[in-house]
């Protein structure tokens, strides 16, 4: 018996050029009879002869050195747009399957990474939404999709929030990007958007008025019409009865953005007839500010700047500070002011979507109480900010002292009273 290792089978001999072998695959024979492997350029097309299959001609998808290619049924490598299995792909001039964003023929397209499939419809890419048409081309500008309007900016990214477009403001809901219409409530502030999505400003919408910045007016006069705390026009006026009482304080406007305290003090002192300080200093807003020690940061409740300045001017302890007062405390002080003649000054804080008299800034602010109706609880306030902000009325009604106290005074600041 003869033992030993069987000799290796010799590679099949192939005629030069293309031949169909017993494995029912096309091969390309070299001049020496061996099978060609790898890429082959022949008669104007590229072919891939698979080394893992002894040089068998590849068809369909083939991954070569980490890159995907598509070979037709004839084996010829395809390039350009190809619809394969109902899905569109783009194969660049080298035949490599494209992925990600591609600028082709004047339009942007998105080919899903790994699969290379052309995206259609909404596509979220790196956290941003885009919309690709049925042809795969990325859309921009206003688009009505599924009955809803969206705005896709120049990069194709879906816009959200407030957008100033073509001379009008629009609001696109965050996350969805859908264009808002009608009444919308944003952090407690109401706006109205037309059917076109354009924000309404400086205009009545039924019994409501939209200010220049688009916000719904509340607790103020609009010409000869009064709108209440809910924004609704009240044909009866601000809602005070014959029981209402007034001090008839003369308004003065603050000369800058931070002298609301000195200006409120100036109005109080002028009302009291204190046209000169105890030391003879003449009554001006700047002199009152000096007595209070006001700075560009204003005056502070904690250090009793207003109380200290007023009392120093008058030469006796006429006013005292009440931090975080209850509604009952504020109401009693206001009612008492009509008997004593010494006005109450409120130190408020606006912010977190809650404002009054057309203000839209988060800020501390001082005003003088000029009137109050004990039957309706409406309070009449003198606002020095009207000299700075065109959106503010010099005097305005707020529909309820209780709500005003609990919203703007008690949580953050206080009052100054006699």
């Amino acid at each position: 018996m003869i033992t030993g290792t069987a000799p290796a089978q010799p590679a099949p001999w192939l005629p030069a050029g293309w031949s169909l072998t017993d494995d029912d695959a096309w091969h390309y024979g070299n001049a020496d009879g061996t099978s060609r492997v790898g890429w082959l350029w022949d008669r104007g097309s590229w072919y891939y002869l698979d080394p893992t299959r002894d040089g068998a001609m590849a068809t369909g998808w083939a991954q070569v050195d980490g890159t995907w290619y598509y070979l037709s049924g004839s084996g010829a490598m395809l390039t350009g747009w190809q619809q394969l299995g109902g899905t569109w792909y783009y194969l660049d001039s080298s035949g490599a399957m494209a992925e990600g964003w591609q600028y082709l023929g004047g339009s942007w397209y998105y080919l899903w990474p790994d699969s290379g499939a052309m995206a259609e419809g909404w596509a979220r890419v790196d956290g941003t939404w885009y919309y690709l048409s049925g042809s795969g081309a990325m859309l921009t500008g206003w688009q009505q999709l599924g009955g809803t309007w969206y705005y896709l900016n120049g990069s194709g990214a879906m816009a959200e929030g407030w957008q100033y477009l073509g001379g009008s403001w629009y609001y696109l809901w965050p996350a969805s990007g859908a264009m808002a219409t009608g009444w919308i409530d944003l952090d407690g502030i109401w706006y109205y958007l037309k059917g076109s999505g354009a924000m309404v400003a400086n205009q009545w919408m039924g019994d409501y008025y939209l200010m220049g910045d688009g916000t719904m007016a509340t607790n103020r006069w609009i010409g000869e019409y009064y709108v209440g705390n809910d924004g609704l026009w009240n044909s009866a006026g601000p809602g005070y009865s014959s029981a209402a009482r007034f001090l008839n304080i003369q308004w003065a406007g603050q000369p800058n953005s931070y002298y609301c305290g000195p200006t409120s003090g100036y109005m109080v002192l002028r009302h009291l007839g204190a046209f000169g300080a105890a030391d003879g200093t003449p009554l001006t807003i700047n002199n009152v500010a000096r007595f209070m020690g006001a700075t560009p940061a204003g005056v502070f409740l904690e250090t009793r700047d207003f109380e200290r300045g007023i009392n120093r001017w008058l030469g006796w302890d006429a006013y005292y500070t009440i931090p975080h007062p209850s509604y009952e405390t504020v109401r009693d002080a206001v009612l008492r002011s009509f008997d004593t003649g010494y006005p109450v000054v409120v130190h408020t804080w606006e912010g977190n979507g809650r404002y009054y008299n057309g203000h839209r800034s988060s800020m501390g602010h001082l005003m003088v109480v000029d009137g109050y109706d004990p039957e309706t609880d409406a309070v009449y306030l003198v606002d020095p900010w009207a000299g700075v902000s065109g959106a503010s009325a010099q005097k305005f009604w707020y529909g309820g002292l209780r709500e005003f106290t609990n919203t703007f005074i008690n949580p953050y600041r206080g009052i100054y009273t006699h």
Side-chain angles (χ1 to χ4, degrees):
M1 181 175 70
I2 300 174
T3 60
T5 302
Q9 294 295 318
W13 180 89
L14 292 174
W18 292 104
S19 61
L20 185 64
T21 61
D22 293 341
D23 59 1
D24 201 27
W26 285 96
H27 294 256
Y28 191 88
N30 293 316
D32 61 0
T34 59
S35 181
R36 179 77 173 266
V37 294
W39 287 107
L40 169 69
W41 175 256
D42 184 52
R43 287 172 290 183
S45 295
W46 284 100
Y47 298 83
Y48 187 69
L49 307 172
D50 191 349
T52 66
R53 296 173 54 217
D54 295 326
M57 183 188 75
T59 58
W61 287 108
Q63 189 176 39
V64 181
D65 297 329
T67 299
W68 286 98
Y69 300 84
Y70 193 87
L71 297 309
S72 69
S74 70
M77 183 191 77
L78 300 184
T79 61
W81 285 110
Q82 303 292 335
Q83 189 176 33
L84 306 168
T87 300
W88 284 96
Y89 300 85
Y90 186 78
L91 309 168
D92 67 21
S93 58
S94 73
M97 182 188 76
E99 302 177 31
W101 287 109
Q102 302 290 328
Y103 190 68
L104 306 165
S107 296
W108 284 98
Y109 298 82
Y110 189 72
L111 295 311
W112 290 110
D114 298 328
S115 76
M118 183 189 77
E120 298 179 48
W122 287 108
R124 189 175 177 87
V125 181
D126 296 329
T128 300
W129 285 100
Y130 301 83
Y131 193 86
L132 297 309
S133 69
S135 70
M138 183 191 78
L139 300 184
T140 60
W142 284 110
Q143 302 292 336
Q144 188 176 35
L145 306 168
T148 300
W149 284 96
Y150 301 85
Y151 186 79
L152 310 168
N153 64 30
S155 71
M158 182 189 77
E160 302 177 36
W162 285 110
Q163 302 290 328
Y164 190 69
L165 305 166
S168 296
W169 283 99
Y170 298 82
Y171 189 74
L172 295 312
W173 289 109
S176 76
M179 183 188 78
T181 59
W183 286 104
I184 61 172
D185 179 0
L186 302 179
D187 298 324
I189 299 175
W190 286 93
Y191 301 81
Y192 189 84
L193 295 311
K194 299 177 184 177
S196 67
M199 184 190 79
V200 173
N202 295 316
Q203 181 179 328
W204 286 97
M205 290 301 300
D207 290 335
Y208 299 86
Y209 187 80
L210 288 309
M211 306 288 286
D213 61 358
T215 58
M216 182 186 75
T218 58
N219 297 306
R220 62 173 296 133
W221 288 97
I222 306 296
E224 60 187 64
Y225 302 97
Y226 185 83
V227 291
N229 192 47
D230 59 359
L232 186 64
W233 168 54
N234 185 346
S235 60
Y240 60 88
S241 68
S242 59
R245 302 178 70 183
F246 299 90
L247 290 171
N248 297 313
I249 294 168
Q250 184 181 353
W251 173 84
Q254 59 193 79
N256 54 43
S257 62
Y258 51 89
Y259 266 14
C260 58
T263 306
S264 293
Y266 171 84
M267 288 189 279
V268 167
L269 292 168
R270 185 174 59 186
H271 180 76
L272 295 174
F275 296 104
D279 65 1
T281 302
L283 181 61
T284 67
I285 293 174
N286 286 333
N287 284 338
V288 175
R290 183 166 55 83
F291 271 60
M292 291 182 180
T295 71
V299 295
F300 293 92
L301 185 93
E302 296 81 359
T303 52
R304 300 177 183 267
D305 297 339
F306 184 91
E307 171 192 326
R308 178 167 44 82
I310 286 285
N311 291 343
R312 181 183 165 201
W313 187 278
L314 293 171
W316 65 289
D317 292 338
Y319 274 80
Y320 64 98
T321 304
I322 304 179
H324 311 294
S326 67
Y327 159 68
E328 289 76 16
T329 298
V330 177
R331 184 176 185 273
D332 289 346
V334 169
L335 289 172
R336 190 168 60 250
S337 72
F338 301 117
D339 298 324
T340 66
Y342 285 80
V344 171
V345 174
V346 294
H347 197 153
T348 68
W349 174 260
E350 300 175 84
N352 300 321
R354 301 302 302 270
Y355 307 94
Y356 53 75
N357 196 28
H359 299 183
R360 286 298 175 264
S361 299
S362 296
M363 63 180 184
H365 190 53
L366 282 78
M367 297 182 295
V368 185
V369 178
D370 189 31
Y372 178 66
D373 183 351
E375 290 192 6
T376 65
D377 199 38
V379 60
Y380 197 43
L381 296 151
V382 189
D383 185 359
W385 183 251
V388 177
S389 170
S392 304
Q394 293 179 2
K395 295 185 178 184
F396 70 99
W397 283 96
Y398 195 91
L401 180 59
R402 180 185 296 276
E403 179 185 332
F404 189 84
T405 299
N406 294 336
T407 303
F408 301 110
I409 302 175
N410 175 272
Y412 312 106
R413 296 293 190 267
I415 64 171
Y416 309 102
T417 185
H418 177 63

